[in-house]
Amino acid sequence: MSRLEDLNIRRMAEGPAVTIYVRDNCIAAVGNAAVGNADGGNAKGQGSTGLMTDQGLAYLVWHGNQAFLAGKSGEVPATPEQVEAIRQFSEDLKSALST
């Protein structure tokens, strides 16, 4: 848990199937059932990472080389800063949960 705190990631909600983690506007759902990984250890299954926007939750999708934030209200081009925030959050969360 302290690794999550060190990365400014907090647990927003926990249910029987998934736990929701957040940092700033980034959000991720992580499956609570441990899954085996290649080295014989266990790691939680991280789902998609999204970004909370004024229109609700949006996920990063790619069309060719162009990144978009896709949500219920449609798709909008993602800024390089948004792409980097999602990428860094995903990496940090994966790292924190694998320790």
Side-chain angles (χ1 to χ4, degrees):
M1 194 57 132
S2 69
R3 176 84 173 122
L4 290 170
E5 291 172 1
D6 291 345
L7 295 167
N8 197 30
I9 298 172
R10 60 189 168 88
R11 187 179 309 178
M12 180 180 209
E14 186 170 5
V18 297
T19 300
I20 306 297
Y21 295 93
V22 298
R23 177 171 68 193
D24 301 324
N25 290 337
C26 293
I27 186 167
V30 177
N32 289 335
V35 294
N37 56 26
D39 64 5
N42 286 329
K44 293 184 176 188
Q46 184 173 337
S48 296
T49 301
L51 192 70
M52 289 304 299
T53 69
D54 292 338
Q55 293 76 35
L57 179 59
Y59 292 99
L60 185 65
V61 297
W62 292 86
H63 297 292
N65 291 329
Q66 177 66 47
F68 291 86
L69 293 174
K72 286 187 176 183
S73 62
E75 293 182 358
V76 296
T79 67
E81 294 82 10
Q82 291 169 322
V83 172
E84 179 59 21
I86 291 169
R87 185 196 64 76
Q88 190 63 57
F89 175 66
S90 293
E91 287 182 11
D92 288 349
L93 182 60
K94 182 178 180 180
S95 172
L97 294 178
S98 67
T99 57

